[in-house]
């Protein structure tokens, strides 16, 4: 008589592993559907667990789960601009945008929900999470520019450009991801130089940066 194959040993997930599993399932759903279209039952099914288990880890229900998933996505977006300080600045910016647009492409509807919020889930906390991504991106960019004390015009210019990147990304999704991501990246890099050049006409600090950028490129 042939012995049967041994049954794989069941391994109980740790608290952090289970929480990570639920967040991964939620992020996958939010990546393709608006938050108000995702239920706790959907998350439980995607993770292969029961609804009560989801509540055990997220007793605040869908709102708490969404905010946790949002923080996870926000951290990934923050890291997009964490580029090594090596080589020409515009090349570094292009690589950061490549990662940013890859995130946008992969998360699609979830990215729209992240930036625009959902009618069911938007709160002051979710707004603060998203704004934290914008501020972190600005800090990274100013660091790449080697500016420790940016004036108000330079700060405003960088933050305006980050807003333009977000708007372009949302429109890109609405336009069936056209033009191709590489073209969009190059266009956004050119726009960065263009808005800095406009500010340079009124701000000596930005003017010096533009000169250094053009010499570096």
């Amino acid at each position: 008589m042939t012995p049967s194959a041994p049954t794989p040993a069941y391994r109980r997930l740790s608290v952090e592993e289970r929480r990570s599993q639920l967040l991964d399932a939620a992020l996958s759903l939010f990546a393709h559907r608006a938050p108000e279209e995702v239920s706790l039952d959907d998350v439980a099914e995607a993770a292969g667990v029961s609804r009560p288990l989801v509540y055990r880890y997220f007793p605040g229900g869908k709102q708490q789960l969404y905010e946790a998933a949002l923080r996870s996505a926000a951290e990934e977006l923050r890291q997009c601009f964490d580029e090594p300080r090596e080589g020409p600045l515009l090349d570094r910016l292009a690589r950061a945008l490549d990662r940013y647009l890859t995130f946008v492409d992969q998360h699609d509807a979830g990215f729209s929900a992240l930036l625009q919020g959902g009618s069911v889930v938007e709160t002051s906390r979710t707004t603060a999470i998203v704004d934290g991504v914008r501020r972190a991106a600005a800090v990274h960019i100013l660091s790449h520019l080697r500016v420790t004390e940016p004036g108000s015009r330079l700060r405003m210019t960088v933050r305006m450009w980050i807003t333009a990147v977000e708007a372009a990304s949302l429109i890109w999704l609405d336009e069936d991801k056209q033009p191709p991501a590489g073209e969009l990246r190059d266009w956004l890099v050119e726009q960065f130089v263009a808005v800095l050049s406009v500010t340079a006409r009124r701000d000596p600090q930005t003017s010096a940066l533009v000169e250094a950028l053009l010499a570096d490129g």
Side-chain angles (χ1 to χ4, degrees), residues 11-205:
R11 186 175 74 87
R12 184 184 296 275
L13 298 180
S14 69
V15 171
E16 283 305 312
E17 288 174 328
R18 179 67 74 187
R19 191 173 188 278
S20 178
Q21 178 199 29
L22 295 174
L23 281 177
D24 286 345
L27 276 172
S28 178
L29 290 170
F30 289 136
H32 299 97
R33 291 154 60 183
E36 57 266 32
E37 296 174 1
V38 177
S39 69
L40 288 183
D41 286 331
D42 294 329
V43 176
E45 181 179 356
V49 300
S50 65
R51 179 188 175 96
L53 183 64
V54 178
Y55 264 113
R56 184 187 305 173
Y57 282 84
F58 298 97
K62 178 176 173 177
Q63 182 66 38
Q64 184 184 6
L65 178 59
Y66 176 72
E67 288 180 12
L70 186 61
R71 288 190 188 93
S72 178
E75 180 58 31
E76 189 174 340
L77 271 175
R78 284 192 194 96
Q79 293 174 2
C80 288
F81 289 92
D82 191 9
E83 175 71 20
R85 272 59 172 169
E86 301 171 356
L89 178 122
L90 296 183
D91 290 347
R92 286 180 255 157
L93 187 60
R95 290 193 293 270
L97 283 172
D98 277 336
R99 288 192 293 273
Y100 187 91
L101 292 174
T102 295
F103 180 95
V104 174
D105 184 32
Q106 292 176 346
H107 289 78
D108 210 314
F111 177 79
S112 299
L114 186 151
L115 289 186
Q116 299 179 10
S119 58
V120 177
V121 295
E122 186 175 12
T123 66
S124 59
R125 291 190 301 274
T126 60
T127 300
I129 292 169
V130 175
D131 190 54
V133 175
R134 298 173 181 136
R135 292 180 181 275
V139 168
H140 278 302
I141 291 170
L142 289 169
S143 175
H144 282 294
L145 291 169
R146 298 186 180 91
V147 177
T148 55
E149 296 183 7
S152 59
R153 290 182 187 273
L154 178 58
R155 282 199 310 272
M156 186 179 295
T157 299
V158 170
R159 293 183 67 179
M160 284 170 58
W161 180 76
I162 291 168
T163 301
V165 170
E166 291 180 357
S169 300
L170 291 169
I171 295 169
W172 184 62
L173 292 177
D174 195 48
E175 293 288 335
D176 296 323
K177 300 177 183 177
Q178 292 298 320
E183 290 184 24
L184 178 59
R185 173 205 63 213
D186 292 343
W187 187 21
L188 290 171
V189 170
E190 291 167 4
Q191 287 186 354
F192 181 66
V193 177
V195 295
L196 283 177
S197 299
V198 171
T199 301
R201 299 172 190 168
R202 298 173 177 270
D203 180 48
Q205 182 184 42

